[in-house]
């Protein structure tokens, strides 16, 4: 498979869609893609419920199909409010032309993209917590992982109502007749008895605990396929992150990047990451969680800060 891929990974509410929108302002980027089945294949293989050979074959075939239907203009995201919508892509006219220019017998003859000149950016959810199949299927892919302070993550999960109900991105396992998110698999016996905030803290702790060692291994390997950034870095100095990302993926920003950065500056996301705002979130969470879970959150924050210093994110 000779197509170039740029995967964007992170925990839900870490800033993946924000980063994905930024990625579209690099040369040759196709529309942002997301295929939840890839997440589920990775999870099932990680837990031994799907053999690796089958998982790799499924993974490759689904990715290939996703790229093909995108290249012919089928199933493009036209939801205006999504940051991954083609209407927010700087090359949206090109993608809309694919939809309107293919008619009848011409359909099979038209080659809409040169796969040697484009890159497909694809969203991933928590891949580094279930790493293995992805690298085996697409060993040459580039991966950017976006991190975020655990206080902000826990508060966002609770405040936005994502919680741990039947949410779309939380693929679920059924044990003893009870359905739980896959990242609660290790404490599913106690899942129902915990408060919602306690569950969120324990789930996010699991995702951090399983992703950190993999990140360290990939960052210390010779492949250079992983770049780690953070919501904080993107909010504080996006221009600097553009330079880091450009170096990592080997692509230059397009001229429209200047306007995108100016727009982001006006939105002022940096105000969301100041210490005062985070302190208020922490106090709110403390009132809704058990002593043990709150202590776990505090420990997780310190580990996150140390990890961020170590890898400079």
């Amino acid at each position: 498979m000779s197509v170039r891929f740029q995967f964007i990974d992170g925990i839900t509410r870490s800033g993946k869609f924000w980063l994905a929108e930024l990625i579209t302002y690099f040369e040759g980027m196709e529309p942002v893609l997301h295929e939840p089945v890839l997440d589920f294949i990775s999870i099932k293989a990680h837990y031994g419920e799907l053999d690796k050979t089958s998982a790799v074959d499924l993974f490759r075939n689904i990715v290939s199909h996703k790229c093909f239907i995108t290249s012919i203009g089928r199933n493009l995201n036209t939801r205006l409010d999504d940051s991954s919508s083609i209407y927010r892509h700087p090359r949206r006219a090109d993608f809309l032309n694919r939809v309107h220019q293919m008619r009848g017998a011409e359909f099979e003859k038209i080659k809409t993209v040169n796969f040697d000149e484009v890159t497909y950016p694809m969203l991933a959810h928590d891949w580094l917590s279930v790493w293995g199949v992805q690298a085996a299927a697409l060993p040459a892919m580039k991966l950017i992982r976006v991190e975020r302070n655990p206080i902000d993550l826990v508060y966002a999960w609770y405040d936005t109502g994502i919680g741990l109900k039947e949410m779309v991105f939380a693929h679920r396992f059924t044990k003893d007749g009870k359905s739980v998110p896959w990242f609660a698999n290790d404490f599913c016996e106690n899942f129902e008895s915990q408060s919602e905030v306690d569950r969120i803290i324990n789930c996010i702790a699991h995702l951090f605990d399983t992703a950190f060692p993999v990140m360290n291994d990939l960052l210390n390997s010779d492949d250079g396929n992983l770049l780690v950034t953070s919501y904080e870095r993107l909010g504080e100095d996006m221009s600097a992150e553009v330079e880091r990302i450009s170096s990592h993926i080997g692509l230059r920003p397009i001229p429209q990047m200047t306007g995108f950065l100016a727009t982001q500056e006006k939105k002022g996301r940096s105000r969301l990451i100041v210490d005062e705002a985070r302190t208020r979130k922490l106090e709110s969470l403390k009132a809704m969680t058990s002593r043990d879970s709150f202590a776990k959150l505090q420990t997780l924050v310190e580990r996150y800060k140390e990890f961020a210093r170590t890898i400079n994110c």
Side-chain angles (χ1 to χ4, degrees):
M1 190 176 292
S2 61
V3 183
R4 295 184 297 189
F5 299 102
Q6 174 59 65
F7 287 91
I8 301 160
D9 183 50
I11 297 174
T12 298
R13 306 301 298 182
S14 61
K16 294 189 300 295
F17 281 88
W18 187 23
L19 178 57
E21 187 177 5
L22 169 66
I23 287 291
T24 63
Y25 285 82
F26 286 88
E27 56 188 5
M29 283 292 173
E30 287 288 289
V32 176
L33 306 178
H34 177 231
E35 179 48 71
V37 176
L38 297 178
D39 302 338
F40 200 48
I41 290 171
S42 304
I43 294 164
K44 285 291 188 179
H46 179 78
Y47 282 96
E49 298 187 10
L50 180 63
D51 70 90
K52 186 174 181 179
T53 299
S54 297
V56 168
D57 287 344
L58 284 168
F59 198 101
R60 286 175 175 163
N61 278 279
I62 290 171
V63 168
S64 178
H65 179 257
K66 193 77 174 180
C67 292
F68 170 72
I69 63 174
T70 300
S71 73
I72 62 174
R74 183 180 294 161
N75 293 354
L76 297 174
N77 181 6
T78 56
R79 187 174 184 271
L80 294 175
D81 199 43
D82 284 359
S83 58
S84 57
S85 169
I86 61 165
Y87 289 110
R88 300 178 70 165
H89 196 294
R91 291 178 49 226
R92 53 191 170 273
D94 295 340
F95 309 139
L96 290 171
N97 283 338
R98 295 177 189 175
V99 177
H100 298 295
Q101 289 180 354
M102 295 184 183
R103 295 190 177 94
E106 297 178 348
F107 177 81
E108 295 296 339
K109 299 177 182 178
I110 295 178
K111 182 178 181 182
T112 60
V113 300
N114 183 338
F115 289 115
D116 294 328
E117 297 178 356
V118 301
T119 301
Y120 283 86
M122 303 187 76
L123 289 161
H125 291 277
D126 311 305
W127 276 12
L128 294 188
S129 291
V130 287
W131 189 248
V133 166
Q134 307 94 327
L138 302 172
M141 70 174 174
K142 292 288 187 177
L143 181 69
I144 302 179
R145 169 81 175 194
V146 56
E147 294 292 339
R148 192 176 183 183
N149 188 289
I151 295 172
D152 296 331
L153 285 176
V154 172
Y155 191 86
W157 278 34
Y158 180 79
D159 188 54
T160 58
I162 289 178
L164 296 172
K165 309 296 183 188
E166 298 286 337
M167 67 185 199
V168 175
F169 301 128
H171 298 290
R172 305 177 79 84
F173 287 162
T174 300
K175 287 194 173 183
D176 300 325
K178 296 180 179 179
S179 175
V180 297
W182 70 267
F183 39 69
N185 189 55
D186 292 345
F187 61 94
C188 58
E189 297 83 1
N190 303 319
F191 186 78
E192 293 295 336
S193 63
Q194 296 179 3
S195 71
E196 185 172 10
V197 177
D198 285 354
R199 293 173 190 166
I200 292 171
I201 291 171
N202 284 316
C203 288
I204 288 177
H206 172 81
L207 293 172
F208 271 107
D209 289 343
T210 49
F212 278 2
V214 176
M215 272 189 276
N216 274 321
D217 289 345
L218 292 177
L219 289 170
N220 290 324
S221 73
D222 295 329
D223 295 336
N225 287 346
L226 174 66
L227 174 71
V228 181
T229 185
S230 67
Y231 192 100
E232 291 83 9
R233 285 190 68 144
L234 289 168
E236 291 166 355
D237 193 350
M238 185 172 280
S239 295
E241 291 308 281
V242 167
E243 293 182 10
R244 292 181 71 227
I245 293 169
S246 178
S247 176
H248 175 67
I249 64 179
L251 298 173
R252 295 171 297 181
I254 59 178
Q256 294 96 318
M257 178 70 83
T258 302
F260 175 76
L261 292 176
T263 300
Q264 297 305 303
E265 181 67 25
K266 290 179 181 178
K267 289 183 178 180
R269 289 207 191 200
S270 59
R271 70 180 184 277
L272 301 176
I273 56 178
V274 297
D275 290 338
E276 292 82 356
R278 193 167 289 137
T279 298
R280 289 194 296 271
K281 293 177 183 179
L282 189 61
E283 289 302 314
S284 296
L285 293 171
K286 185 176 182 180
M288 295 183 286
T289 189
S290 67
R291 180 179 298 178
D292 288 346
S293 293
F294 187 72
K296 178 180 284 190
L297 175 59
Q298 291 178 304
T299 300
L300 191 60
V301 170
E302 293 307 312
R303 289 179 55 211
Y304 171 74
K305 290 179 179 178
E306 179 59 31
F307 183 79
R309 284 192 292 269
T310 302
I311 65 172
N312 193 31
C313 82

